[in-house]
Amino acid sequence: MTAIQTASPQQLQRHGAFAAARGVRVPQRRPLPDIGQLVTAVVVGLLTIATIAIFTLSGSVLTNLKIHYLTAGGNFLEKLHPTTYLTFVATLLLLMRRGDPIEEINRTFSEAKLLLIHLFCWFCLLIQMFVLDRPFTVIIDTFLLPVLLCLLIWRLTPQQRRPLIWALHATMLLNILIGYYEFVSGHRIVPLTLGSVVVMGEWRSAALLGHPLTASGIVAAYIMALVLRPAVCPPLLIRIPLIAFALGSLMAFGGRTALMTVLAVLALTGLIEAFNLIRGKRIPLLVAAGAICLIFAAVGLIFAAYSLGIFDKMLLRFSSDKGSALARVATFDMLSHFQWSELVLGPNPVRVNALQSQLGLNYGIENFWVSCIVQFGLVHTILITLGLTCFTIELMRRSSPAAWAVLLLILMIAASSVSFSSKNIQLAQLVLLTALLLPHDPRPAAPSPQLRARRPQVRHQEIA
């Protein structure tokens, strides 16, 4: 063995300095790649794919691809959404990024303690699923996936979130374009299915989001984000046409609750802006002129669309709801058919299905809390409501004030449709959209008292 091979690091360093002084070229050691940055890049890539998958691979799309996600049959791996698998892998990688998963878990939940309450309530519901021998994959995609997505997104920097935001914008525009195409042509890209049953005679578009009501809710939340937080799409010449383009698609998707909620939020925003103008708020002259021109153009387009009959189907939905109101009345009447002993931990699913068919609720129980009581029982409905409340508080704390409008939309959807009480990813979609497009804006740090005391002195010296 040579002397250089047995030398210490200090001797090698002196040898390198001596060789460099004599003009001899010393080979440099290449720095090792940063494993943490590599893992973070992989996590961002997985989350970008997950964002695309969550807005394109709905239950109907998976059924059309012969994947038994909502239908009977198939193996266990088919019962979870692809976004769930991608999120689990990204979570494991993020925990192992620094080689200490326990410390990473401690750091994550120390900044979001309320999520521990949600996870505890979810774990109690999971135990009930095992004890009563019921499918537990329902609560994984519905109640666990949104939490994992938020935890991952909150650990990313604004620069690392950009690929996810671009993926969200691209998939939303794709769904809106497909919605217009299905509405005009009458041809569906993906057949509309409820389980294994293909729904025929439905004029409302669904695009790749699976169901017209789901598509309406997601697009409505997207419109609110564009309107209430201009930083989502800064150029005014791009943002206003995009809002109008997305708002018009609500006529194609046909969701009355989503449409009325968006119009109410837009009207309230307009009133607040008008009140600020009356109080003396100043706006650039070009912006005022452009706003006046856009208002006149929008009124002309609305009258033109009305004369062409584009709004006829949507107006018919308001004048004739095809039994939706009666179905909601039957939803609350259904609880009277059960005894209190059955409602505490949930009645027999066979009896529930029989009563649904008898009361004409073939499309599901159109209320989140009533459906949860029927499925999980009163005790676990209270627990999961408590968990979702804690999760919502944590989400609102980390979001801009515009997220309250999305929360209002979520409550309206929960009270008027099957929504999150069944196996779906709609809650995860709305939460992902809120976490990406409506983050909390960091406030600039206030100057220290010493700096504020120095400023007048510096200004006085400059004047002198």
Side-chain angles (χ1 to χ4, degrees), residues 97 100 155 233-234 270 296 317 367 383:
R97 179 173 55 176
D100 190 355
R155 301 296 293 176
C233 187
F296 279 103
R317 286 273 299 164
N367 185 282
L383 280 177

Side-chain angles (χ1 to χ4, degrees), residues 228-264:
L228 299 177
R229 193 170 185 271
V232 173
C233 187
L236 190 63
L237 295 178
I238 298 177
R239 188 166 61 92
I240 293 180
L242 184 58
I243 293 172
F245 185 65
L247 186 61
S249 68
L250 291 179
M251 296 296 172
F253 293 119
R256 292 171 296 179
T257 302
L259 177 62
M260 296 307 298
T261 305
V262 167
L263 292 179

Side-chain angles (χ1 to χ4, degrees), residues 44 62 78 206 222 246 273 336 394 426 443 455:
V44 172
L62 294 176
E78 297 180 72
Y222 183 65
E273 192 66 24
S336 63
E394 190 65 37
Q426 187 178 10
R443 295 180 180 179
R455 282 179 179 174

Side-chain angles (χ1 to χ4, degrees), residues 14-46:
R14 288 196 297 268
H15 174 74
F18 179 71
R22 295 181 59 188
V24 180
R25 185 176 180 181
V26 180
Q28 299 292 331
R29 295 182 62 185
R30 295 182 180 179
L32 295 176
D34 190 349
I35 302 299
Q37 292 183 358
L38 181 61
V39 171
T40 303
V42 174
V43 169
V44 172
L46 289 174

Side-chain angles (χ1 to χ4, degrees), residues 334 348-358 362:
M334 185 179 183
N348 190 345
V350 177
R351 190 179 176 210
V352 172
N353 294 332
L355 274 175
Q356 281 189 234
S357 301
Q358 182 181 350
N362 299 320

